[in-house]
Amino acid sequence: MLSKLLNVRIFDLEACGACNLSCPFCPRELLPPDGNMSQETFSRLLDHVQLRPADNLAFVGIGEPTMNRRLPDFLRQAKARYPRVYTSITTNGTFLNEKVLPPLLDSGLEKIVATSNPDDVRAHLALTQQIKKLTLPHEMGELYKVIALGRGLP
């Protein structure tokens, strides 16, 4: 595995066990709802795992991470303790707006991956238009670092 060769560890964290969508390809509905990751749980992770500069702290999972209002705080805390750790989120993008996005970007987040279900044409186009609007220079300028759209991105 490439991560082993590069001495990179990837920590996949689920900030929220719930989701606002019901995509046909997602097994979310087969699992019991877990709610949001607590501050206590995240603090225990930071206390017990020594993150290295090459490590990737990725907020992904079956739930929608931006539904947890603590997400920007989690990212800031990780960056405060481990400034060189790489941070990313994978989101369905439905909450990426002018209110939610700036705190995420201010947290030091390196990468946002927004995925959608292109089979739902209206939802896919709405997400695409929202991201296009948010990435215009007069809207977000250089703050918006990376957006990836596509089918089945992890």
Side-chain angles (χ1 to χ4, degrees), residues 11-102:
F11 294 87
D12 289 341
L13 305 176
E14 189 163 46
C16 182
C19 186
N20 60 317
L21 299 180
S22 296
C23 298
F25 56 81
C26 182
R28 169 71 249 149
E29 295 192 14
L30 301 174
L31 303 170
D34 290 331
N36 288 331
M37 178 186 287
S38 69
Q39 176 61 58
E40 178 185 355
T41 299
F42 189 70
S43 294
R44 276 190 311 210
L45 170 81
L46 292 181
D47 290 342
H48 295 301
V49 176
Q50 294 298 311
L51 297 174
R52 300 184 304 235
D55 288 344
N56 182 349
L57 198 59
F59 287 90
V60 298
I62 305 264
E64 171 52 40
T66 60
M67 287 177 65
N68 187 334
R69 293 184 180 161
R70 293 184 186 100
L71 182 60
D73 294 330
F74 293 162
L75 292 161
R76 267 191 296 282
Q77 292 164 30
K79 284 297 195 175
R81 194 176 293 190
Y82 302 102
R84 294 180 54 208
V85 72
Y86 186 84
T87 57
S88 64
I89 67 168
T90 298
T91 173
N92 62 33
T94 56
F95 294 112
L96 294 180
N97 57 43
E98 295 86 355
K99 182 179 178 185
V100 172
L101 196 54

Side-chain angles (χ1 to χ4, degrees), residues 80-152:
R81 194 176 293 190
Y82 302 102
R84 294 180 54 208
V85 72
Y86 186 84
T87 57
S88 64
I89 67 168
T90 298
T91 173
N92 62 33
T94 56
F95 294 112
L96 294 180
N97 57 43
E98 295 86 355
K99 182 179 178 185
V100 172
L101 196 54
L104 288 173
L105 297 174
D106 289 342
S107 71
L109 179 66
E110 275 89 14
K111 180 177 172 183
I112 298 173
V113 177
T115 64
S116 70
N117 177 11
D119 293 337
D120 183 346
V121 175
R122 287 179 194 224
H124 182 70
L125 289 174
L127 173 61
T128 303
Q129 290 305 313
Q130 177 67 8
I131 289 173
K132 192 182 291 184
K133 178 184 176 211
L134 287 171
T135 57
L136 291 173
H138 66 277
E139 291 287 335
M140 293 302 292
E142 294 299 314
L143 288 177
Y144 210 94
K145 298 171 184 169
V146 176
I147 289 288
L149 288 176
R151 177 185 232 148

